[in-house]
Amino acid sequence: MHFSLSGILVVLAAHSVLSLDSFEEIKAVCNKETGYDGDIDKLNFNDPALPTKAKCAAACALEKQDLFKPDGSIDREKQKPLVEELVKDEDMKKSYMKAIEECDISAKANKCETAYEFLKCVDIKAGTSK
């Protein structure tokens, strides 16, 4: 099974306290709040032309799942159990767990940039970048 980082957003969202329907609702709300009209499940975080609205829509989804710490950084500890539970391929699971551990991104100027830098880092380090 191959997961992309945008797939991990779905993993994180769909299997937290939210149902998949709730995640679909979050995506719709976040798209409306940010003015983004794409699908955050299909974002390529390695695209240097990734629009700010897309970054903000991803940040919004993470924020609505309470994955930001009070200091504005990403709460990696909340993500690890989800990956442990949901990613069945042991090699991929190890890759994601290692990537999450290594991607300790400090808070940036705003949550959009923090989410972008974190998701891009995990994508690259897990070897799932497009």
Side-chain angles (χ1 to χ4, degrees):
M1 177 179 281
H2 175 75
F3 282 93
S4 68
L5 186 50
S6 54
I8 211 75
L9 275 174
V10 173
V11 166
L12 293 173
H15 296 88
S16 63
V17 294
L18 306 171
S19 69
L20 188 55
D21 289 339
S22 295
F23 184 61
E24 291 300 319
E25 292 169 14
I26 284 175
K27 289 191 315 184
V29 167
C30 288
N31 280 6
K32 184 175 181 181
E33 285 181 12
T34 62
Y36 181 62
D37 62 0
D39 188 344
I40 63 171
D41 292 345
K42 295 181 172 66
L43 295 178
N44 177 357
F45 288 93
N46 292 301
D47 179 357
L50 189 67
T52 298
K53 287 180 181 181
K55 295 175 187 179
C56 291
C60 173
L62 294 177
E63 185 169 37
K64 291 199 181 304
Q65 297 164 78
D66 195 32
L67 293 176
F68 279 98
K69 292 180 182 178
D71 70 0
S73 63
I74 303 288
D75 191 339
R76 297 173 299 145
E77 294 307 312
K78 286 185 178 179
Q79 296 175 350
K80 291 178 185 179
L82 300 173
V83 172
E84 188 67 40
E85 175 187 345
L86 299 168
V87 180
K88 302 304 180 199
D89 179 276
E90 288 302 317
D91 290 336
M92 185 58 65
K93 184 184 298 188
K94 287 178 188 173
S95 293
Y96 272 113
M97 296 298 272
K98 184 176 186 221
I100 289 169
E101 190 61 39
E102 291 177 357
C103 294
D104 188 10
I105 305 297
S106 60
K108 303 298 177 198
N110 59 56
K111 288 183 177 180
C112 303
E113 287 303 316
T114 303
Y116 168 71
E117 290 297 329
F118 176 75
L119 295 171
K120 179 179 175 182
C121 178
V122 171
D123 207 16
I124 291 168
K125 290 193 179 287
T128 58
S129 58
K130 296 176 182 177

